[in-house]
Amino acid sequence: MRFLSFFGLFFTGALLLSTGCSRQTDTTTSEGPATFIFARGADAQKLDPADVDDGESVNTMAQIFEGLIGFKPGSLEVEPRLAKSYVISDDGLSYTFVLREGVRFHDGTPLTAESARFSFDRQMDPDHPAHFPGASFQYWQNLYSDIERLESVDEMTLRFHLSRPNAGLLTAFASFPAWLVSPGGFEEYGDQMVFHPVGTGPYRFVSWRPNEAIIFEANPDYWREPAAGFDRMVMRSIPLNSSRLSELLAGNIHGLDGIQPSELADLESDTRFQILHAPGMNVGYLAFSELSDRVKDPDLRRAIAMAIDRANIVRLALDNFGSVAAYPAPASFLGIPDDDGPINHDPSAAKALVEAHPEWTESPLTLATFGQPRMYFPDPQRIASLIRNDLEKAGFKVEIINREFKSHLHTTRKGDFEMALLGWIADTPDPDNFLSTFFHSRAAVPGSATNISFYRNPEMDQLLDAALAVSNRAEREALYARVLELWARDLPLVPLVQGDQITVLDRNIGGYALSPTGNHFFGPVYWNSGDMPANAQ
Amino acid sequence: MSDAVQEPAQAVKQSRARLLLVEIRRFVLIFLAASFFLFLALESMPEDPVSLRVKNPDPERIAEIRDSLGLNDPWLTRYVRGVGDFLTLDWGESLISGRPVAGEVARYLPATLELAVLGILFGVSFGLALVLSAHATGWTWLLQPVRGMGALGLTVPIFWIGILFVLVFSVQLGWLPVGGRFDFAYEAPRITGFLLLDSLLVWDLHAFWIACRHLVLPVLTLGLYPAAVVAGTLEARLGESFLERLVTALKSRGFSPARVWGRHVLRLVSGPVVTVIGTQAGALLGGAVLTETVYSWPGMGRFLVDGVLNRDLFVIQHGLLLVVVLALCIVTVSDLIATRLDHQLQNREDS
């Protein structure tokens, strides 16, 4: 009783304290707030489109920078942006972009062929003053390596010459490493330009409080309609999921991402919010390392693939915010069939195979997994236990090895495992971005491998190279069909799930479209004061 | 002035100098030990931070970077250079962000110090006020929460208390902000990095008010544990028989309760309380990390946790050592103050 009275006193004190200071710091006008605040789990690292690979940096830069071409909001269709038109030569060896007139970077630098070249020259030329020694420019090597040289045809025309045709290059031009940065930004800030981004986008960079927030203001000279929907925009970093949710519930932020599917239950029934979710361009998979003798046997892999109940993983570990991955690339991609795929859940067949091979179960198989959630695996440890469960039912013994994500990545890149859980989030909406990443022997270099199975098959390499050089859609499809056949025969990896991207917004936020690339673009986002129905997908 | 009067004063000065010397020696020894253990811990990290950072980890490039950072030198050279770099504030750059570590620390430290100082002040004054007023007024029920707080502080994680505060005061009642240091619809004044001070320096009372509101819950959360410890220590000290006799004596001379408790007793018990604060410094900094996480407070705690998770070599090396030095400073200063107070006390009791 006395204890309670203390709390009564304590809380009353807090009440007095807070009622005394009840003046709200609210900028809400009759048309809604002037500032749009979005919260995510981590801060950006650098704001240099050519030298980042983390989603938070890309999401920040998406408000500031634009490319010559881009994806239509909410789709993977390419549309002109800073280039008003483009022409690809018949032989596929040159791409010509005619730039839009009257566009200026945020620092006033006009957009011309020369100022646009800066962003590509600095990545391509190791002697360029803006080719910073600390930067990797890895995407240039991965996506744009077929570009041989650039030519400024006239003041507003820029041409790229290729050493060989590359069918994936157009979508690569629409991706973030090809966003244009102002040469003026480099003149003003030097190598610190990665912390002072200057682009042409609907929002201008104002300030960066590391680990706290990045602040933008509307670009009054934006070339495109609709312009920025808010005067000011803030991207906060709030690492703790519960804090991010509390901020949303308290009405301090207008949206968030990076939330666990299991945490959405309460929000789903709350009419103040709209929950948007759509399939992400990702695949979470189970890889077998060719460098490990025990899992080399394709029959063993098939038994494992058949034993795993992938629908169960979607249900229990993704809370149905995702789907079973039928192929090693999402079905929306060119050449990937929209069916259930060749891997069927057949526990009895798996068990029969295991019983026929007693040597498989002499000692436990090891399954390497990691701690931090990713879009494809919101709870990687849970997924590992579900797989262990399935495999044990089939007669295997399984030991789970759990590491921190970076450490796990380090191990898998060396192929130092038997079975490992990992995933891939696409950089471009081209099947090559998944298939070469997983199966090309070029990607099987110890230390930096993305082909972590270390699967090496000359026929596969040939097919993948041929598919990239062909621009005819039907021909490419046929080549990728053969690639998928080889994959299904050899099974270097078992695709498990495709995780949804989830974004929660205040119901009054309009103009937002989930992008299949997973990037947030808040340019056209506005405050919708009318009582519009939530546009949840 | 005769020699007879000067001699004891001289002796006191000498003993103070000796004490200072002992404290400094202890400071240096602990600093060297801490820096060495930190160095050993960094050495035994299972992965090379450089190869984790480089996206295309070809051995030549890694060797090049390691060479440029001096990571291939003999261990003693690296340790001595590390300590030297720390002392000269040459803290290198973060492997992750490329920003200078010293600059980053300068950005995060004020946020943590503002929170920690206010947390301690609140904790100490709340603990003292509760116990002294309970004794002065005879309202012994006020002592119940002291015991409650002690149990709470020891058994319930700060983390959980923080989340509870947020749910009650921010989400349910909407009285106080959920987290962060400032309202993002406004630009915060920036001069020293201490928001309260800066908003007063530019005389922006609205900004001051916003900053205060953001501080309330984190300060309450952080202050609870020191409040419990201070109250517990004070309560134990007040139970000592000589203090009980002193209080009875002072009361019988007709002194007011405020004078008895606020002046005489408080002075007598301040030594142990200061010592407690000092020994709590480490725990407080640990508590600050959790509190910063719950309240999205952009301070050293989150900076260091991120640094450790990312194996950000120089952030861990210099950032953590700075925290160790800060904790050491607090302990040393509180020791000196406590000894001084005890000396005064000794002198008074002797006289």
Side-chain angles (χ1 to χ4, degrees):
Chain A
M1 202 54 200
R2 281 178 179 173
F3 198 68
L4 281 179
S5 62
F6 157 70
F7 273 103
L9 195 74
F10 182 65
F11 281 14
T12 316
L15 172 71
L16 288 173
L17 195 72
S18 61
T19 45
C21 49
S22 61
R23 190 153 68 104
Q24 290 292 307
T25 55
D26 191 3
T27 50
T28 308
T29 64
S30 56
E31 285 141 18
T35 305
F36 173 66
I37 305 178
F38 187 82
R40 69 269 182 89
D43 201 359
Q45 293 191 356
K46 289 178 194 174
L47 300 180
D48 182 351
D51 180 38
V52 286
D53 58 2
D54 67 301
E56 305 307 354
S57 298
V58 177
N59 283 335
T60 310
M61 292 188 301
Q63 326 308 324
I64 306 167
F65 295 112
E66 294 166 303
L68 296 167
I69 53 175
F71 299 115
K72 275 186 182 167
S75 92
L76 293 176
E77 202 182 320
V78 169
E79 65 171 9
R81 287 277 167 84
L82 295 178
K84 59 184 178 189
S85 64
Y86 59 89
V87 178
I88 305 170
S89 65
D90 290 342
D91 58 5
L93 287 175
S94 79
Y95 287 57
T96 307
F97 294 89
V98 180
L99 304 181
R100 206 173 285 279
E101 277 116 17
V103 178
R104 285 179 181 275
F105 288 94
H106 299 151
D107 61 348
T109 307
L111 174 74
T112 60
E114 277 307 307
S115 60
R117 274 187 74 155
F118 170 82
S119 300
F120 300 98
D121 284 340
R122 65 182 285 252
Q123 298 188 58
M124 188 164 63
D125 176 10
D127 297 323
H128 193 282
H131 190 91
F132 305 131
S136 74
F137 299 114
Q138 195 186 6
Y139 281 98
W140 190 266
Q141 294 142 36
N142 291 350
L143 298 178
Y144 311 98
S145 57
D146 292 332
I147 296 174
E148 204 172 46
R149 67 189 172 88
L150 274 81
E151 180 194 354
S152 307
V153 180
D154 59 37
E155 203 196 342
M156 298 306 279
T157 311
L158 184 62
R159 184 170 294 152
F160 293 81
H161 294 277
L162 274 62
S163 56
R164 57 175 180 171
N166 182 328
L169 190 62
L170 191 69
T171 49
F173 274 127
S175 305
F176 66 88
W179 287 344
L180 299 191
V181 302
S182 169
F186 172 65
E187 273 166 36
E188 189 170 353
Y189 300 108
D191 61 359
Q192 293 298 299
M193 71 178 241
V194 300
F195 304 122
H196 298 89
V198 182
T200 58
Y203 283 97
R204 294 195 295 214
F205 172 81
V206 174
S207 63
W208 187 346
R209 305 182 201 165
N211 270 353
E212 194 180 2
I214 298 179
I215 296 162
F216 314 81
E217 63 183 9
N219 171 11
D221 304 319
Y222 190 47
W223 58 273
R224 191 186 196 197
E225 290 293 329
F230 288 89
D231 297 343
R232 187 179 159 93
M233 190 177 75
V234 179
M235 291 185 91
R236 291 186 60 185
S237 43
I238 304 177
L240 203 64
N241 279 9
S242 64
S243 300
R244 218 156 50 241
L245 256 181
S246 300
E247 290 276 15
L248 185 78
L249 293 170
N252 298 338
I253 57 173
H254 304 115
L256 58 82
D257 69 0
I259 197 163
Q260 293 279 322
S262 55
E263 289 168 315
L264 286 168
D266 291 342
L267 286 180
E268 277 178 308
S269 54
D270 196 326
T271 54
R272 289 176 297 164
F273 309 112
Q274 42 179 324
I275 297 173
L276 298 102
H277 63 98
M281 291 203 316
N282 62 72
V283 168
Y285 59 85
L286 173 79
F288 302 102
S289 174
E290 297 270 353
L291 305 181
S292 154
D293 284 336
R294 288 209 304 178
V295 292
K296 264 187 176 165
D297 183 351
D299 282 340
L300 170 88
R301 298 171 180 188
R302 193 159 313 282
I304 290 173
M306 286 192 297
I308 299 173
D309 185 353
R310 297 179 295 166
N312 199 40
I313 295 178
V314 172
R315 200 166 49 245
L316 295 179
L318 276 75
D319 290 77
N320 287 322
F321 283 91
S323 54
V324 168
Y327 292 94
S332 54
F333 280 50
L334 177 80
I336 310 295
D338 191 7
D339 58 29
D340 291 340
I343 300 169
N344 301 311
H345 175 51
D346 192 344
S348 45
K351 196 167 184 178
L353 252 177
V354 176
E355 277 165 3
H357 294 85
E359 74 278 10
W360 289 352
T361 52
E362 278 166 11
S363 61
L365 288 167
T366 55
L367 170 61
T369 187
F370 53 97
Q372 288 83 349
R374 310 287 294 163
M375 194 198 286
Y376 42 84
F377 289 155
D379 189 347
Q381 292 174 49
R382 183 141 198 227
I383 290 171
S385 343
L386 290 172
I387 291 175
R388 178 173 60 187
N389 225 15
D390 287 340
L391 295 186
E392 283 179 349
K393 275 188 212 155
F396 287 107
K397 291 176 207 145
V398 179
E399 190 186 319
I400 293 175
I401 299 170
N402 190 24
R403 293 188 179 89
E404 187 261 333
F405 183 65
K406 282 213 164 99
S407 173
H408 178 69
L409 216 51
H410 199 57
T411 319
T412 50
R413 280 178 181 163
K414 290 188 290 188
D416 189 12
F417 62 91
E418 281 187 329
M419 298 189 291
L421 289 175
L422 200 60
W424 184 255
I425 303 174
D427 298 314
T428 69
D430 191 276
D432 183 70
N433 195 255
F434 277 98
L435 301 176
S436 283
T437 300
F438 290 156
F439 306 129
H440 204 295
S441 55
R442 214 176 26 232
V445 179
S448 63
T450 52
N451 172 359
I452 62 167
S453 310
F454 285 82
Y455 173 72
R456 291 191 176 97
N457 179 347
E459 192 188 350
M460 180 68 105
D461 290 354
Q462 211 180 353
L463 284 168
L464 290 168
D465 288 340
L468 199 58
V470 168
S471 50
N472 181 291
R473 203 181 154 88
E475 272 180 56
R476 279 193 96 194
E477 272 184 332
L479 288 165
Y480 283 131
R482 180 73 190 127
V483 165
L484 294 181
E485 272 174 34
L486 285 185
W487 154 71
R489 186 193 72 192
D490 298 339
L491 273 183
L493 61 80
V494 182
L496 299 173
V497 293
Q498 197 183 334
D500 281 0
Q501 42 169 328
I502 305 168
T503 302
V504 183
L505 292 174
D506 187 296
R507 67 164 297 155
N508 287 317
I509 295 295
Y512 179 80
L514 273 179
S515 162
T517 59
N519 296 344
H520 294 302
F521 179 53
F522 297 120
V525 162
Y526 61 96
W527 185 259
N528 187 355
S529 316
D531 202 16
M532 297 283 286
N535 62 339
Q537 290 176 10
Chain B
M1 215 180 268
S2 75
D3 285 346
V5 180
Q6 249 176 353
E7 265 175 17
Q10 202 74 37
V12 169
K13 267 188 190 164
Q14 272 177 4
S15 82
R16 274 187 202 156
R18 215 173 21 247
L19 185 71
L20 197 64
L21 214 64
V22 168
E23 288 288 347
I24 290 172
R25 202 172 56 199
R26 195 179 66 166
F27 188 103
V28 172
L29 282 176
I30 297 180
F31 170 76
L32 288 176
S35 57
F36 187 69
F37 282 120
L38 193 59
F39 176 80
L40 280 186
L42 284 171
E43 284 294 292
S44 54
M45 275 203 297
E47 286 109 0
D48 174 12
V50 175
S51 66
L52 278 184
R53 185 59 208 135
V54 179
K55 284 171 198 154
N56 255 342
D58 73 283
E60 269 181 38
R61 174 95 178 111
I62 291 174
E64 209 175 283
I65 297 177
R66 288 186 64 88
D67 258 345
S68 70
L69 296 174
L71 295 174
N72 292 331
D73 296 342
W75 71 268
L76 192 63
T77 317
R78 274 180 292 136
Y79 169 67
V80 172
R81 190 176 48 227
V83 171
D85 286 349
F86 177 78
L87 295 175
T88 54
L89 292 182
D90 180 8
W91 293 0
E93 286 174 355
S94 154
L95 291 179
I96 302 294
S97 71
R99 293 172 195 264
V101 175
E104 294 286 272
V105 168
R107 195 196 305 268
Y108 293 119
L109 194 60
T112 296
L113 288 183
E114 197 167 57
L115 182 60
V117 167
L118 289 175
I120 270 269
L121 279 181
F122 160 73
V124 170
S125 42
F126 188 60
L128 283 178
L130 212 58
V131 175
L132 289 180
S133 52
H135 281 272
T137 56
W139 295 348
T140 48
W141 59 267
L142 271 175
L143 292 173
Q144 290 291 342
V146 173
R147 284 150 207 158
M149 275 196 306
L152 203 72
L154 288 172
T155 51
V156 184
I158 289 182
F159 199 70
W160 194 84
I161 295 177
I163 291 175
L164 189 74
F165 277 171
V166 167
L167 286 178
V168 174
F169 294 111
S170 306
V171 178
Q172 290 299 322
L173 301 172
W175 292 344
L176 292 162
V178 175
R181 258 186 112 190
F182 203 72
D183 189 326
F184 289 95
Y186 300 89
E187 272 303 310
R190 299 244 148 199
I191 301 168
T192 62
F194 294 92
L195 263 182
L196 291 184
L197 183 66
D198 289 352
S199 47
L200 288 180
L201 283 176
V202 298
W203 200 245
D204 183 346
L205 291 182
H206 186 54
F208 182 77
W209 195 237
I210 297 175
C212 282
R213 279 168 52 83
H214 281 80
L215 272 162
V216 173
L217 289 185
V219 163
L220 277 181
T221 311
L222 195 61
L224 270 186
Y225 189 62
V229 176
V230 165
T233 312
L234 190 60
E235 179 59 6
R237 180 87 174 171
L238 289 179
E240 289 175 22
S241 58
F242 92 93
L243 267 176
E244 279 177 3
R245 288 201 305 274
L246 178 73
V247 169
T248 317
L250 289 171
K251 274 185 184 166
S252 66
R253 284 196 198 172
F255 287 0
S256 70
R259 194 160 173 204
V260 173
W261 295 99
R263 196 166 152 195
H264 295 279
V265 177
L266 189 59
R267 194 175 290 171
L268 285 172
V269 297
S270 54
V273 168
V274 171
T275 309
V276 165
I277 296 171
T279 49
Q280 287 298 309
L284 190 86
L285 287 168
V289 172
L290 293 177
T291 311
E292 284 177 8
T293 309
V294 174
Y295 294 103
S296 329
W297 197 260
M300 285 294 285
R302 272 178 64 193
F303 176 59
L304 289 178
V305 168
D306 284 352
V308 171
L309 286 178
N310 289 323
R311 322 270 203 285
D312 202 342
L313 189 66
F314 299 114
V315 168
I316 308 177
Q317 190 173 326
H318 298 299
L320 277 183
L321 199 53
L322 178 75
V323 172
V324 170
V325 168
L326 278 179
L328 255 178
C329 284
I330 301 174
V331 172
T332 309
V333 170
S334 64
D335 265 5
L336 285 171
I337 295 174
T339 320
R340 179 96 194 247
L341 288 168
D342 271 357
H343 269 298
Q344 284 178 354
L345 188 67
Q346 212 67 51
N347 293 342
R348 284 166 67 93
E349 281 173 357
D350 288 347
S351 60

